């Protein structure tokens, strides 16, 4: 595939990840024993809080798709490509679950998704060009930071919102598995300044997409 064709494929993937309705390959996680849409009604302010948190998570999954797409575009090793492809497919489920829950809660996904997709894709390409072990290091650090982020969301979710909690808990387990796979593939730990820059970027994304 020549450069022009590759760029067209990347643009097509970006448009689909940002604007198309995502489709999950796995069922939407639900709490064990849940029959009614909610086990207890949520107050309007609780539903709004859950919606905003899931909008943030949705953008995080948009970024995950961009990151893996960028890394896959330049990955050299077959094993590395397999790890990235597996993670990307599970993150696509997360994307669909988050979009579905935001809609269920009466909200809309963030208008800033295209901007963050572009930034994450660029970081994916840069990390991939540095080499497969650096790419795995970037994957591991991303997943560890996402795991911590989801822990904070689990603590912040309304006590009555069992549906959202089930989704976030399943996402968290997947993120841990992705990080472990990267470590097993020989990931190089990232330097502290890069980790700090990633955390700062995540804070900007979280603070803005919570509202927009």
């Amino acid at each position: 595939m020549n450069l022009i064709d590759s760029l067209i494929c990347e643009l097509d993937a970006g448009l689909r990840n940002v604007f198309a309705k995502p489709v999950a390959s796995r069922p939407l996680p639900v709490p064990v024993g849940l029959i009614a849409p909610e086990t207890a009604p949520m107050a309007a302010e609780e539903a709004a809080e859950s919606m905003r948190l899931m909008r943030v998570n949705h953008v995080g999954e948009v970024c995950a798709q961009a990151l893996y797409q960028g890394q896959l575009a330049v990955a050299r090793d077959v094993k590395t490509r397999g790890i990235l492809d597996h993670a990307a497919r599970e993150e696509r489920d997360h994307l669909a679950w988050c979009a579905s829950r935001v809609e269920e809660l009466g909200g809309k996904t963030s208008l800033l998704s295209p901007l963050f997709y572009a930034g994450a894709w660029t970081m994916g390409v840069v990390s991939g060009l540095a080499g497969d072990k650096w790419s795995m290091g970037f994957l591991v650090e991303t997943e560890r930071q996402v795991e911590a982020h989801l822990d904070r969301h689990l603590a912040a979710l309304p006590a009555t919102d069992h549906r959202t909690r089930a989704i976030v808990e399943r996402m968290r387990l997947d993120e841990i598995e992705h990080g472990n796979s990267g470590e097993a593939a020989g990931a190089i730990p990232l330097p502290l300044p890069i980790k700090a820059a990633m955390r700062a970027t995540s804070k900007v994304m979280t603070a803005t997409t919570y509202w927009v």
Side-chain angles (χ1 to χ4, degrees):
M1 186 181 296
N2 61 40
L3 178 60
I4 299 299
D5 289 339
S6 296
L7 290 175
I8 290 173
C9 288
E10 292 300 316
L11 178 60
D12 176 68
L15 292 173
R16 285 187 284 107
N17 282 318
V18 174
F19 297 109
K21 184 178 179 63
V23 178
S25 61
R26 293 177 291 172
L28 184 73
V30 295
V32 176
L34 181 64
I35 299 175
E38 305 289 348
T39 56
M42 284 194 293
E45 60 270 20
E46 291 180 327
E49 176 66 7
S50 288
M51 184 278 293
R52 293 188 184 107
L53 293 175
M54 289 305 279
R55 179 164 59 205
V56 170
N57 290 335
H58 177 267
V59 177
E61 297 304 331
V62 167
C63 290
Q65 290 299 305
L67 175 66
Y68 294 132
Q69 190 71 30
Q71 289 176 304
L72 279 166
V74 295
R76 302 168 178 82
D77 182 68
V78 173
K79 182 178 180 180
T80 298
R81 294 186 64 84
I83 292 171
L84 291 169
D85 183 66
H86 172 75
R89 282 187 281 109
E90 292 196 337
E91 300 285 359
R92 196 169 298 119
D93 289 343
H94 300 178
L95 183 67
W97 297 341
C98 289
S100 174
R101 189 56 178 153
V102 168
E103 184 178 357
E104 284 181 354
L105 292 166
K108 295 184 180 298
T109 55
S110 176
L111 298 173
L112 301 176
S113 289
L115 174 64
F116 286 110
Y117 185 96
W121 183 86
T122 301
M123 287 191 289
V125 170
V126 171
S127 69
L129 289 173
D132 288 334
K133 292 189 181 300
W134 284 104
S135 183
M136 289 293 97
F138 201 87
L139 178 148
V140 170
E141 181 60 25
T142 297
E143 299 294 15
R144 297 305 181 230
Q145 291 192 17
V146 171
E147 179 189 347
H149 161 86
L150 294 178
D151 283 339
R152 291 191 292 271
H153 276 203
L154 286 170
L157 282 170
T160 55
D161 191 357
H162 304 289
R163 286 180 67 83
T164 300
R165 186 173 300 277
I167 295 170
V168 174
E169 287 175 343
R170 179 66 255 180
M171 289 167 56
R172 180 181 178 277
L173 291 176
D174 288 343
E175 309 296 357
I176 293 172
E177 187 266 328
H178 299 164
N180 290 343
S181 295
E183 287 185 336
I188 295 176
L190 298 186
L192 290 177
I194 295 179
K195 293 182 179 182
M198 291 170 65
R199 284 192 291 269
T201 301
S202 177
K203 287 181 180 179
V204 171
M205 184 273 285
T206 301
T208 55
T209 59
Y210 181 86
W211 297 108
V212 182

